[in-house]
């Protein structure tokens, strides 16, 4: 017999099932006090069938293991552990009425221990006086233990105990008990969600409204997602449309990325996006040049973020130990007005141009306010070296009360062919940094289906790892079919 097989045959720790040596008083793996556990019987395991006391009389010695097709309730009640087959350890704890012993099975498992082939309801059993129990015993109404089995859903079937909380498999019936106006948990579908956003039944945290947002408005669409690593979505966007004084349409897309190292970055991005959008919708119909309107919109967004530093801070559970510096975010926006495309930005969020005819080259229309961009601009490092440095994504420009100096960047372009304007945060372009990579990630039908295109791009970032929040807005740019060339700065 191998050494590993010998260790597997020794008694296991009631808490972590680590094999024990003879004479051990504490488990070497988890430190469990073995002196508090009654000595196991010589051969067969036992399980208590009397509901445990309301007060914790014995330590919890196991975690309930859900049966096939039965959702895990996510909680363990002291004394309600399901015994490990053949462990020889009483997991139910002592009971006032006697316990029913399991008979040895005819088969054995790989460790020469009896394989469980019966449930407690299959045994005749006796009461404390040695008399046979009735053939059918009603399940205690107040029991907090349930043994899941093939007939567990049958009323009174198999002698199983009722769950302390509603069975999630009966969610459609339990949901009716939620008071009017309440929210049902998305996980167990039976519990009511409290004001803190947690289920009162299973404790599951509910998705926030901003975890995933989508909006399509005529010829502009945007999608924002929390990603796979962040606990909340600190990005925000605003898409809208208005009319110029001559009646021609103007389409607006604003995307903001909260600075995670700052306080309340999610509030900063939301305030900036809303303020910039409102400023553009006010100035464009008055006849303000779109490039000047974009400049004013960035200033308005900056004032909105600065105002957050003046108000009372609301530290969340994730911000309790974080230095409470001023809220901050980046901003990038695009306006399509007639034959003019105007972009504006502060920070490292970007705008890309992807021609509808993929035979023509795409282009990036913004320059990052970042350490890497500065190194490249000053000629101190090549682009490959700069972006390979760990300081590459350190931003040098942002919106916030502690910004060194606000320098809004704006540029106007007159594309002479149809194309797609991609406005995004670094949560997307980290997975498609070069213009050619971004163009390859954009689906070919995104010009006709901007919302679907934005969804595909967010999926591209999530498939790449989703390390950051992801936000992208798509604006199709239409021009007369004559002419050739790519997006170029307006003269």
């Amino acid at each position: 017999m191998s050494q590993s097989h010998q260790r597997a045959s020794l008694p296991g720790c009631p808490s972590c099932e680590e094999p024990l040596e003879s004479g051990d008083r504490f488990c070497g793996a988890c430190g469990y006090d073995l002196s508090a556990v009654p000595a196991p019987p010589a051969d067969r395991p036992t399980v208590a069938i009397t509901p445990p006391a309301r007060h914790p009389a014995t330590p919890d010695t196991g975690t309930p293991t859900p049966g096939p097709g039965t959702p895990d309730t996510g909680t363990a009640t002291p004394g309600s552990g399901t015994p490990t087959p053949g462990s020889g350890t009483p997991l139910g704890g002592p009971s006032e009425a006697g316990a029913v012993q399991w008979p040895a099975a005819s088969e054995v498992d790989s460790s020469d221990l009896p394989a469980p082939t019966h449930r407690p309801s299959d045994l005749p059993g006796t009461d404390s006086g040695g008399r046979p129990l009735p053939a059918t015993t009603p399940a205690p109404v107040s029991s907090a233990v349930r043994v899941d089995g093939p007939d567990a859903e049958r009323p009174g079937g198999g002698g199983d105990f009722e769950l302390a909380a509603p069975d999630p498999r009966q969610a459609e019936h339990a949901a009716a008990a939620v008071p009017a106006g309440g929210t049902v948990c998305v996980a167990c579908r039976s519990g009511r969600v409290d004001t803190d956003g947690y289920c009162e039944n299973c404790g599951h945290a509910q998705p926030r409204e901003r975890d995933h947002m989508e909006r399509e408005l005529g010829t502009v669409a945007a999608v924002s997602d929390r990603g796979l690593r962040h606990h909340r979505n600190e990005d925000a966007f605003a898409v809208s449309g208005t009319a110029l004084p001559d009646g021609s349409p103007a389409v607006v897309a604003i995307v903001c990325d909260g600075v995670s190292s700052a306080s309340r970055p999610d509030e900063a991005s939301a305030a900036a996006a809303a303020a910039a959008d409102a400023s553009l919708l006010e100035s464009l119909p008055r006849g303000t040049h779109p490039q000047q309107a974009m400049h004013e919109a960035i200033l308005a967004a900056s004032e909105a973020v600065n105002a957050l530093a003046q108000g009372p801070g609301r530290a969340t559970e994730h911000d309790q130990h974080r230095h409470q510096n001023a809220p901050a975010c980046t901003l990038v926006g695009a306006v399509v007005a007639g034959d003019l495309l105007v972009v504006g930005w502060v920070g490292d969020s970007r705008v890309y141009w992807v021609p509808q005819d993929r035979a023509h080259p795409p282009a990036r229309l913004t320059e990052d306010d970042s350490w890497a961009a500065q190194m490249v601009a000053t000629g101190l490092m090549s682009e490959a070296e700069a972006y390979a440095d760990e300081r590459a994504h350190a931003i040098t420009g942002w919106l916030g009360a502690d910004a060194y100096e606000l320098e809004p960047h704006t540029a106007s372009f007159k594309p002479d062919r149809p194309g797609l304007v991609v406005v995004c945060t670094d949560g997307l372009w980290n997975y498609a940094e070069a213009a050619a990579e971004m163009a390859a990630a954009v689906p070919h039908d995104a010009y006709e289906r901007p919302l679907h295109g934005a969804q595909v791009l967010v999926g591209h970032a999530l498939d790449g790892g989703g390390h950051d929040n992801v936000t992208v807005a798509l604006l199709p740019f239409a021009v007369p079919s004559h002419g050739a060339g790519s997006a170029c700065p307006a003269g």
Side-chain angles (χ1 to χ4, degrees), residues 4 31 36 42 61 65 69 171 177 212 240 245 267 280 323 346 350 370 377 395 484:
S4 61
T61 55
T65 303
H212 185 88
S240 59
E267 297 181 33
L280 286 166
H323 176 62
V346 172
R350 294 179 175 180
S370 68
I395 58 176

Side-chain angles (χ1 to χ4, degrees), residues 151-162:
D151 54 355
E153 296 185 15
R154 190 176 69 243
D160 292 344
F161 296 98
E162 296 180 359

Side-chain angles (χ1 to χ4, degrees), residues 212-282:
H212 185 88
M213 300 178 292
E214 298 183 359
R215 190 176 184 197
E216 185 175 29
L217 185 64
T219 57
V220 60
V223 176
S224 181
D225 192 89
R226 185 183 67 180
L228 305 179
R229 302 297 181 88
H230 280 227
H231 69 273
R232 64 184 174 190
N233 190 358
E234 297 170 355
D235 288 356
F237 68 82
V239 293
S240 59
T242 185
L244 302 178
D246 61 0
S248 60
V251 182
V252 175
I254 302 293
V255 169
C256 297
D257 184 358
V259 178
S260 296
S261 59
S263 304
R264 299 148 60 198
D266 53 333
E267 297 181 33
S269 61
D277 183 63
S279 177
L280 286 166
L281 292 181
E282 180 183 358

Side-chain angles (χ1 to χ4, degrees), residues 346 396-398 402-407:
V346 172
T396 57
W398 62 88
D402 59 355
Y404 298 115
E405 184 178 357
L406 177 61
E407 296 183 2

Side-chain angles (χ1 to χ4, degrees), residues 6 16 54 76 111 118 205 214 236 269 285 297 307 345 347 354 359 420 428 443 474:
Q6 290 176 358
C16 66
R54 289 298 179 184
S111 59
H118 300 282
E214 298 183 359
S269 61
W345 73 97
V354 179
L420 194 69
L428 171 60
L474 299 184

